Amino acid sequence: MFAIDGNRLNRRLAEFAEIGALPKGGVNRQALTEGDRQARRMLAGLALARGFRVFQDPMANLFIRRSGRDETLAPLMIGSHLDSQPAGGRYDGALGTLSAFEVLESLEDAGTQTDRPVEVVAWTNEEGCRFAPGCMGSMAFAAGAIPEEWADKQAADGASFPQELAATIESLPEAEMRPLGFPVYSYIEIHIEQGPSLEAENIPIGVVTGIQGTRWLEVTVTGQTAHAGTTGLSYRRDPMRALSAALSGLYDTIMPEDENARFTVGRLRLSPGSVNAIPEDIRCTVDIRHPDPDSLDALEAKITAAFSKEAGRQGCTAAIRRLFDMAPCTFDAGLQDRIEEAASSLQMPSKRMLSGAFHDALFANRIAPAAMIFVPCRDGLSHNEAEFVEPAHATAGCRVMMQAVRTLTASENV
Amino acid sequence: MFAIDGNRLNRRLAEFAEIGALPKGGVNRQALTEGDRQARRMLAGLALARGFRVFQDPMANLFIRRSGRDETLAPLMIGSHLDSQPAGGRYDGALGTLSAFEVLESLEDAGTQTDRPVEVVAWTNEEGCRFAPGCMGSMAFAAGAIPEEWADKQAADGASFPQELAATIESLPEAEMRPLGFPVYSYIEIHIEQGPSLEAENIPIGVVTGIQGTRWLEVTVTGQTAHAGTTGLSYRRDPMRALSAALSGLYDTIMPEDENARFTVGRLRLSPGSVNAIPEDIRCTVDIRHPDPDSLDALEAKITAAFSKEAGRQGCTAAIRRLFDMAPCTFDAGLQDRIEEAASSLQMPSKRMLSGAFHDALFANRIAPAAMIFVPCRDGLSHNEAEFVEPAHATAGCRVMMQAVRTLTASENV
């Protein structure tokens, strides 16, 4: 029997949730902050205590390696991320990272020998809310280089990406430095579904077939600031009126007309921001998702047209630029089969499903066969302090991962 | 001939515009900031150099007094404010304050004796954008007390109102302290129209009959933050969708249906403010104006109903509270006649008009006969760096003020 310790896993989840803890049970552990560094140090500490080797690369991706029979073989990689949303949940990322570490510890506890090394990874900045885009760590790993333009990235709080990255790497001196990118045998990531379907259908395991495409747009509507009390309608060029009309129309059509489409405005600022002055300009983000690349193009065109039209009607101008563009991906069919077989060998119901969120597995999939295991979360809530995973579901996902890892590494107890 | 020095007035306007100067010619001299203090010190310095007495009260209202024949008589008060919007123009407030000071200097230059003292006032925080509401200085002066709840006021930048007020008072030690509120004979304020009508009709002088009512509302729409990619339409409680729908409907009806109504959303913040998370809650301000008090009530009811309905449709809740409520006011008929007579005696066309903006004169009107003189501004632009007043118009307004002051104080050169 290939056991994992579910109590240890759930205890670890609670311990890591104390780093950046928020009053309602969530965490604020945004990428490259002190909280993020603290979580990386805690995981590295646990790993070194078990005699595993700890590495980090120039993107501060964190690796924990357990040797295999043949050290020259490319490692099987398992993991996720440790950073969070500003008001995020305690399972998003942490569940996959700590489940992977639980697998490594259980292999060690059982004295199991794997044919190849197994490595746990915690990717840097999956969330992308402090420094956009998301998945910077796995993206750079898959590309084998850090894009030059990232050197200019600044957080809303004014922090500089290169400085925060360097400080994060320096905060873990016990990790051996390693170049960016290396051969990987296969990659498996456990993650909460972040949607309602597994819970609704009472299925503990989701075998993820792929990830829908994501595009982030930045919309700027520019009008003319003027006095709120004296400026009559014919003299107004109000960007807020244009924005409201455009958004209202888009909310009423995009998602109601296509159940696979997602349309979200999550960030908005207007200036000068005075109660008695018409705004001069407004800037907001638009997050659109779709499993079909052509539909993503159609959505972007529809959004651009709506803002141009409503801005024109109010004597304003609209400018739209892409912040981020992630094409849909399809995971490795063989790995999907291994995960499904692992679940059924443990008498766990599973179902194949598409991921609505992007994940680091999308980028790992570019350099190695990759796949994901989803577990249910309460009410489908994520990016929310109320995010919750039943301990039994966390344990179940980890057991399936262990089973798949044993199969993929021809493991034997020696 | 009762002369004023138009060149000196326009030179002073340029000098004060250097305090808090912005690149496009405007000023950022928000209430109780260092820029505001600097402007008060400059005016006090000019006054002391001319031998006038300088006072301030516990609200940091600044007074410059020129003695009259009978010092026991209540002073004739003239003035305006020195604070600005975050991206404001150089004439809003400064024109009225410096015109009043020009009248005082011209009386001194001519050795004119007035039957009663004449005082120039610079009221504190007319704009209300850093600390709401507007007109705090004249409001407290008219009430004879500072409302207790103002002790808790905080600026968006975190600054505390009581601390900034105390620091502003301390920054002008040469001013004699004076209690809040005292008898005033009459009050006259010059201000730019902040609207297009005088310029459009080519009339240099507006005799202001009253001020339309203003109400500031704070709207909070609360939904539920969730993942942008995984949360399907039926699981969404998106406050941004509710807000867009409500605002779009209100923009399309309130001002188009009633030319006397004003509807402006000038400030908005949403949280948590992450590109890939549905917002949890959104807070925005609504500025509504109308000359008729019943119409103001109707507007507020319509706005409340719209937000409640759209919030309900999206599974969100809407809460609305009043930040500020200023009833319409009517200025003193006799003073309006004096101003009109002064203009015609100088062969200047004038017209009676309602003010779309509120002004300190609205509060002065509660304790003494008050009136206002409007001068044209280019394109009706205000609360905008592009705000501009023809030097000849500034001079003309000041000449009318001087004429009215001489009549009201039975002045004679001695």
Side-chain angles (χ1 to χ4, degrees):
Chain A
M1 188 52 216
F2 301 150
I4 60 103
D5 183 343
N7 294 333
R8 179 169 56 187
L9 170 59
N10 284 287
R11 193 177 65 245
R12 290 266 161 81
L13 282 164
E15 286 163 7
F16 276 76
E18 287 167 20
I19 307 173
L22 293 175
K24 286 182 275 176
V27 292
N28 179 359
R29 203 165 57 218
Q30 294 181 71
L32 306 182
T33 59
E34 183 45 42
D36 189 17
R37 291 166 199 163
Q38 208 179 323
R40 298 171 76 251
R41 282 196 299 270
M42 189 186 294
L43 184 59
L46 294 168
L48 293 168
R50 291 306 302 260
F52 303 137
R53 288 181 69 187
V54 176
F55 302 86
Q56 61 183 335
D57 66 18
M59 266 304 295
N61 293 313
L62 179 64
F63 304 92
I64 298 166
R65 178 183 181 98
R66 182 171 184 268
S67 306
R69 187 180 304 107
D70 183 346
E71 280 292 279
T72 66
L73 295 177
L76 171 64
M77 189 179 284
I78 55 179
S80 188
H81 62 95
L82 287 171
D83 65 307
S84 84
Q85 290 280 319
R90 52 169 65 185
Y91 300 92
D92 180 355
L95 177 67
T97 309
L98 297 177
S99 295
F101 187 68
E102 174 56 34
V103 166
L104 218 61
E105 283 199 283
S106 297
L107 290 170
E108 189 70 12
D109 294 339
T112 305
Q113 183 168 59
T114 54
D115 62 353
R116 60 180 62 249
V118 179
E119 290 203 8
V120 170
V121 61
W123 301 108
T124 296
N125 188 28
E126 190 271 350
E127 296 293 354
C129 39
R130 185 169 178 233
F131 298 102
C135 295
M136 286 171 86
S138 50
M139 193 184 303
F141 183 91
I146 301 177
E148 270 181 24
E149 62 273 23
W150 289 4
D152 307 325
K153 284 197 183 294
Q154 271 218 340
D157 60 22
S160 139
F161 170 71
Q163 285 172 26
E164 292 288 67
L165 178 61
T168 301
I169 290 171
E170 285 159 21
S171 71
L172 200 61
E174 55 270 56
E176 305 169 50
M177 282 309 291
R178 170 192 262 188
L180 193 66
F182 50 82
V184 172
Y185 171 61
S186 290
Y187 176 81
I188 303 178
E189 178 171 2
I190 291 181
H191 207 282
I192 61 173
E193 177 191 354
Q194 304 184 289
S197 78
L198 289 174
E199 180 188 46
E201 300 167 45
N202 194 26
I203 297 175
I205 299 295
V207 180
V208 185
T209 57
I211 298 183
Q212 69 184 357
T214 300
R215 212 167 275 183
W216 290 353
L217 310 175
E218 179 184 72
V219 180
T220 306
V221 185
T222 304
Q224 181 175 59
T225 186
H227 192 290
T230 59
T231 313
L233 186 54
S234 58
Y235 294 91
R236 288 189 175 221
R237 293 167 47 197
D238 189 340
M240 192 64 199
R241 182 176 181 184
L243 182 102
S244 304
L247 287 183
S248 184
L250 293 167
Y251 279 118
D252 288 346
T253 51
I254 290 178
M255 291 181 67
E257 290 172 0
D258 180 350
E259 66 168 4
N260 290 320
R262 300 287 180 264
F263 174 79
T264 306
V265 175
R267 188 178 290 167
L268 185 151
R269 72 137 192 72
L270 85 200
S271 84
S274 181
V275 57
N276 55 348
I278 296 163
E280 177 80 15
D281 54 67
I282 304 176
R283 178 166 297 177
C284 72
T285 57
V286 176
D287 176 312
I288 51 176
R289 316 227 178 180
H290 204 286
D292 166 41
D294 297 340
S295 302
L296 274 177
D297 292 336
L299 283 178
E300 180 172 353
K302 179 187 173 85
I303 290 163
T304 303
F307 276 101
S308 304
K309 175 179 159 227
E310 295 299 339
R313 287 181 59 185
Q314 303 305 327
C316 301
T317 57
I320 297 189
R321 68 184 185 100
R322 281 189 198 176
L323 295 177
F324 183 51
D325 184 17
M326 195 180 291
C329 93
T330 304
F331 286 135
D332 182 74
L335 276 185
Q336 291 181 50
D337 293 341
R338 295 297 88 66
I339 293 167
E340 196 171 59
E341 289 156 11
S344 64
S345 76
L346 295 165
Q347 286 78 45
M348 292 184 199
S350 70
K351 75 165 203 171
R352 304 246 175 172
M353 61 189 297
L354 190 75
S355 172
F358 61 76
H359 296 285
D360 293 302
L362 186 150
F363 291 96
N365 192 55
R366 295 182 179 179
I367 53 154
M372 294 185 75
I373 299 168
F374 273 180
V375 299
C377 56
R378 182 193 291 161
D379 302 330
L381 277 186
S382 183
H383 290 192
N384 185 318
E385 284 196 65
E387 180 185 272
F388 178 76
V389 173
E390 290 291 345
H393 287 144
T395 301
C398 190
R399 289 180 65 204
V400 171
M401 168 80 91
M402 171 60 108
Q403 185 69 22
V405 166
R406 297 294 299 253
T407 315
L408 290 163
T409 59
S411 305
E412 55 192 44
N413 289 356
V414 290
Chain B
M1 186 52 213
F2 302 147
I4 59 101
D5 183 341
N7 294 334
R8 178 169 57 187
L9 170 59
N10 285 286
R11 194 177 64 244
R12 290 267 161 80
L13 283 164
E15 287 163 6
F16 276 75
E18 288 166 21
I19 307 173
L22 294 174
K24 287 181 274 176
V27 292
N28 178 359
R29 203 165 56 221
Q30 294 182 72
L32 306 182
T33 59
E34 182 46 41
D36 189 16
R37 291 165 199 162
Q38 207 179 323
R40 298 170 77 251
R41 283 195 298 271
M42 189 187 292
L43 184 60
L46 294 168
L48 293 167
R50 291 306 303 259
F52 303 138
R53 287 180 72 185
V54 175
F55 302 86
Q56 62 183 334
D57 66 19
M59 266 302 296
N61 294 313
L62 179 65
F63 305 92
I64 298 165
R65 179 183 180 97
R66 182 173 184 266
S67 307
R69 187 181 302 108
D70 184 346
E71 281 291 278
T72 66
L73 295 178
L76 171 65
M77 188 179 284
I78 55 179
S80 188
H81 62 96
L82 286 172
D83 67 304
S84 84
Q85 290 280 319
R90 54 170 64 186
Y91 301 93
D92 180 354
L95 177 67
T97 308
L98 298 177
S99 296
F101 187 69
E102 174 56 35
V103 165
L104 219 60
E105 284 199 282
S106 297
L107 290 170
E108 189 70 12
D109 295 338
T112 304
Q113 184 169 57
T114 54
D115 62 353
R116 63 179 63 246
V118 178
E119 290 202 10
V120 170
V121 62
W123 302 107
T124 296
N125 188 28
E126 191 270 349
E127 297 293 354
C129 39
R130 187 170 177 232
F131 297 105
C135 296
M136 285 172 87
S138 51
M139 192 185 302
F141 182 91
I146 301 177
E148 273 181 22
E149 62 272 23
W150 288 5
D152 308 324
K153 283 196 183 296
Q154 271 218 340
D157 60 21
S160 138
F161 171 71
Q163 285 173 26
E164 292 288 64
L165 178 61
T168 302
I169 290 171
E170 285 158 19
S171 71
L172 200 61
E174 55 271 55
E176 305 169 49
M177 283 308 293
R178 173 193 260 187
L180 193 65
F182 51 81
V184 172
Y185 170 61
S186 290
Y187 175 81
I188 303 179
E189 177 172 1
I190 292 180
H191 207 282
I192 61 173
E193 178 192 351
Q194 303 184 288
S197 79
L198 289 174
E199 180 189 47
E201 299 168 44
N202 193 28
I203 297 176
I205 299 296
V207 180
V208 185
T209 57
I211 297 183
Q212 71 183 358
T214 300
R215 211 168 274 182
W216 289 352
L217 310 174
E218 180 184 72
V219 180
T220 306
V221 184
T222 304
Q224 181 174 58
T225 187
H227 193 289
T230 59
T231 314
L233 186 55
S234 59
Y235 294 91
R236 288 188 176 223
R237 293 167 46 197
D238 189 340
M240 193 63 199
R241 183 176 181 185
L243 183 102
S244 303
L247 288 183
S248 185
L250 293 167
Y251 279 118
D252 287 347
T253 51
I254 290 178
M255 291 182 69
E257 289 172 0
D258 180 350
E259 65 168 3
N260 290 320
R262 300 287 180 266
F263 173 79
T264 305
V265 175
R267 188 178 290 166
L268 185 151
R269 71 137 194 71
L270 85 200
S271 90
S274 183
V275 58
N276 54 349
I278 296 163
E280 175 82 13
D281 54 67
I282 304 176
R283 179 166 296 177
C284 71
T285 57
V286 177
D287 175 313
I288 50 176
R289 318 232 177 175
H290 205 286
D292 167 41
D294 297 340
S295 302
L296 274 177
D297 292 336
L299 283 178
E300 182 172 350
K302 180 187 173 82
I303 290 163
T304 304
F307 276 101
S308 305
K309 175 179 160 227
E310 296 300 339
R313 288 181 56 184
Q314 302 306 326
C316 302
T317 57
I320 296 189
R321 70 185 183 99
R322 282 190 199 176
L323 295 177
F324 184 49
D325 184 18
M326 198 179 292
C329 92
T330 304
F331 287 135
D332 182 74
L335 276 186
Q336 290 182 50
D337 294 341
R338 295 298 89 65
I339 293 166
E340 195 170 61
E341 291 157 11
S344 64
S345 76
L346 295 166
Q347 286 79 46
M348 294 183 195
S350 71
K351 76 164 200 172
R352 304 249 175 168
M353 62 189 297
L354 190 76
S355 172
F358 61 76
H359 296 286
D360 294 302
L362 186 151
F363 292 95
N365 191 55
R366 295 183 178 178
I367 54 154
M372 294 185 75
I373 300 168
F374 273 179
V375 298
C377 56
R378 182 194 290 158
D379 301 330
L381 277 185
S382 183
H383 289 191
N384 184 317
E385 286 196 63
E387 180 186 271
F388 178 74
V389 174
E390 290 291 344
H393 287 145
T395 301
C398 191
R399 289 181 64 206
V400 171
M401 168 82 89
M402 171 60 108
Q403 185 70 22
V405 166
R406 297 296 298 255
T407 316
L408 288 163
T409 59
S411 305
E412 54 191 45
N413 290 356
V414 292

